[in-house]
Amino acid sequence: MLVGVAAGAFLWQAMAGSPRRFLLSRWPWRCLAYLSTSVLTGLAVVCVLPLGILFPPALILAALPVGALERRRLHLIDAAPADSPHTTPSPGLAAWLWLRLAEGATWREFGYMLTLPTVLLAVDFVSLLVLLACVTTFTGPLFVAGLGVFRVGPLVADTMGEALALSLLFGPVVTVLGLYGMSAVAGAQGAYTRWLLAPRRAETDRKVEELAGSRTRLVNAFEAERRRIERDLHDGAQQHLVLLSMTLGLARLELDGTAGPARTLVTDAHDQARRALAAIRELIHGIHPQVLTDLGLAAAVGELAERCRVPVEVDIRLDGRLPPETETTAYFVVSESLTNAVKHATAGKITVTGRLIDGRLVVMVSDDGSGGADPDRGSGLRGLVDRAAVMDGTLVITSPAGGPTTIRMELPCRCA
């Protein structure tokens, strides 16, 4: 996306350059297409204007598609994109109508639509007529000479000879001036169109704030849903499994010393219940470990290191607690990195470091494995990159073939 490019900047640069290069480029043809379609659009708007007599709000709303069309037509002469200045309304037709009629962007589009069949139509039409006259001045005598008018008589021949000489002398200059004038008119109209129809800085900032706010709400909702699932598993399914395991244990004691299939079935069921209980506890811990909530990132990563099959050296030094969303993101990035190192890298040693540097949490996970990790080839690593990006952070994976592998993540944060 091109940011900060003035309307028609490339057109003006081309016009300021070599005349030969400009005249042989696409720009004169694109400017001609822009002004020609502008005339057609202005004539089409003339047919829409009677709607204002019957139903004035319809005329105002008709400016919306006209504005959208003009922003698309602007690409003919302007490389910088012209995004829509409108904000996203709430669901429902009434909310959409109310927002559109109250927006300043709608009224700017309405004002632009009124200038299309009036001022712009007249200027564009005159510019095209002047260009046609300039081209005719150059090509007219040549065309007439090609038809053999010199044979009609000496007087006509002399007159046409003088006209042809003047055409050959001044025609190219007049045509070049006409092309430059037409291109200047197209560039000026493009600047006027962008000034009225493109988003203003305040509107762009508001859209950025809306996107950032919606992303933050999605992250918070996702984390709240994780906590709810963890709570339901802990207070519901896990408690039922505990009671089931206790009941089977008592039944196993009652059948102790007896023989038969009943004791074997109860013993197997008791063992399966214990394994299911261990699995659900592991699942709950993976969703959101309680130690992360109670003691913070350093303690939670230390617990991960104790449970890892590969020796892990943890060196996380923070001045205080981090925001919950930052701790959660960092924890799961470290957890996934350790899992990948154990499963895929055949690592013999892993190092995890964490520091706060200039208001950013920097976490590095390094292993001495075989390397070759590529986020484009695996959804796990790609998910780590996306998880960091959601928090306005970055995640860089350095993993040459043969190792070592280093995953560096930076998240904006502040200590509580």
Side-chain angles (χ1 to χ4, degrees), residues 37 104 107 120-121 141 170 187 198 209 263 277 282 309 322 365 374 387 415:
T37 54
W107 292 97
L120 293 181
L121 178 61
F170 296 106
E209 291 176 0
R263 182 178 183 279
L277 184 59
E282 187 72 17
R309 298 197 304 266
L322 305 178
V365 181
D374 186 358
R387 182 182 282 270
C415 285

Side-chain angles (χ1 to χ4, degrees), residues 365-394:
V365 181
S366 305
D367 66 71
D368 58 356
S370 57
D374 186 358
D376 295 330
R377 294 198 310 239
S379 59
L381 293 177
R382 182 72 256 177
L384 296 184
V385 176
D386 294 339
R387 182 182 282 270
V390 166
M391 299 296 297
D392 284 333
T394 59

Side-chain angles (χ1 to χ4, degrees), residues 9 117 217 219 316 340 349 361:
R217 288 191 295 271
V219 172
I316 297 179
N340 288 335
K349 181 181 178 182
L361 173 64

